[in-house]
Amino acid sequence: MEGLAQIDKQITLAINSIHTPFMDGVWTFFSDKEVWFPLYAAVAVMLFVRMGWKKGAVALIGIILTIVACDQTGNLFKYSFERLRPCHDGWMLENGLRVLEDRWGLYGFFSAHAANAFGFAVSSSMAFDGRNGKARRAYGIAVIVWASLVGASRIFVGKHFFGDVLVGAAFGILFGMLAGQLIRFIYRYTGPARP
């Protein structure tokens, strides 16, 4: 485990060392949760417009449950494993870790940012029904790219190790798929979507 942790530290430092002033601003932007509230609101509105109020409500509840599951599981893991964030790890700081945000929270395994982003991406893309395949596919690709950038931003700002982000993404995908399947199951009992 110690060898794996050291590899994770080296990968994190290698990623974190790639920077320019412009890209530092981009990564800080992607890392800010509050910046993305308009995106969440726009997706919620589109679900109601596209799917109708019943299915829209089912989808919204499923997405919210996904985010709650990701967030709470992340907290459980952080306080169970107590792995320091890179920005609190003396070895990482001594070896050149750049920290672009406040150093809140001691523990970082796993990244709830990454889990929430991937959970939102997967559950919301599954919530749109498949009749307009091209639009749904385009949305799915765009939202997964967005989630990947949010996850990567946590390494670039110095708040998470590479492994934290990978595990967070895996949990987000898992919870998102479970919620998406539940959403689709309940859709069967709510009538047809809007044409």
Side-chain angles (χ1 to χ4, degrees):
M1 286 301 288
E2 186 57 38
L4 193 59
Q6 197 58 35
I7 292 168
D8 194 15
K9 287 182 177 186
Q10 296 291 350
I11 293 171
T12 301
L13 281 174
I15 293 169
N16 179 266
S17 69
I18 303 167
H19 71 97
T20 65
F22 172 75
M23 288 309 296
D24 287 351
V26 169
W27 294 123
T28 303
F29 176 80
F30 269 94
S31 187
D32 185 352
K33 282 188 209 177
E34 294 174 10
V35 166
W36 300 109
F37 288 158
L39 170 68
Y40 305 144
V43 170
V45 168
M46 287 308 300
L47 280 165
F48 280 97
V49 168
R50 176 68 186 93
M51 306 302 294
W53 74 269
K54 286 181 185 176
K55 288 186 177 183
V58 168
L60 187 58
I61 291 167
I63 292 166
I64 290 169
L65 288 174
T66 302
I67 292 170
V68 169
C70 290
D71 212 51
Q72 293 310 305
T73 305
N75 287 334
L76 176 68
F77 271 60
K78 282 173 186 164
Y79 293 104
S80 296
F81 288 93
E82 295 185 344
R83 182 184 191 196
L84 291 176
R85 291 177 184 271
C87 58
H88 292 293
D89 184 308
W91 189 90
M92 294 294 287
L93 294 168
E94 288 169 13
N95 284 278
L97 181 80
R98 295 173 325 96
V99 181
L100 304 179
E101 290 185 347
D102 291 334
R103 299 178 189 197
W104 300 344
L106 274 176
Y107 308 124
F109 180 77
F110 56 84
S111 170
H113 264 73
N116 288 337
F118 277 93
F120 173 82
V122 172
S123 60
S124 65
S125 63
M126 290 179 73
F128 286 103
D129 77 4
R131 282 184 293 169
N132 189 347
K134 286 184 182 178
R136 182 170 171 249
R137 241 184 330 274
Y139 171 77
I141 291 167
V143 77
I144 289 292
V145 168
W146 165 80
S148 300
L149 292 170
V150 169
S153 75
R154 304 302 286 165
I155 303 167
F156 281 102
V157 301
K159 294 297 283 285
H160 283 289
F161 290 100
F162 177 71
D164 299 343
V165 172
L166 281 185
V167 174
F171 270 97
I173 291 167
L174 173 66
F175 286 131
M177 289 179 72
L178 291 172
Q181 290 299 331
L182 180 61
I183 290 166
R184 289 180 173 182
F185 176 76
I186 296 172
Y187 276 180
R188 297 179 202 168
Y189 303 99
T190 59
R194 290 183 176 176

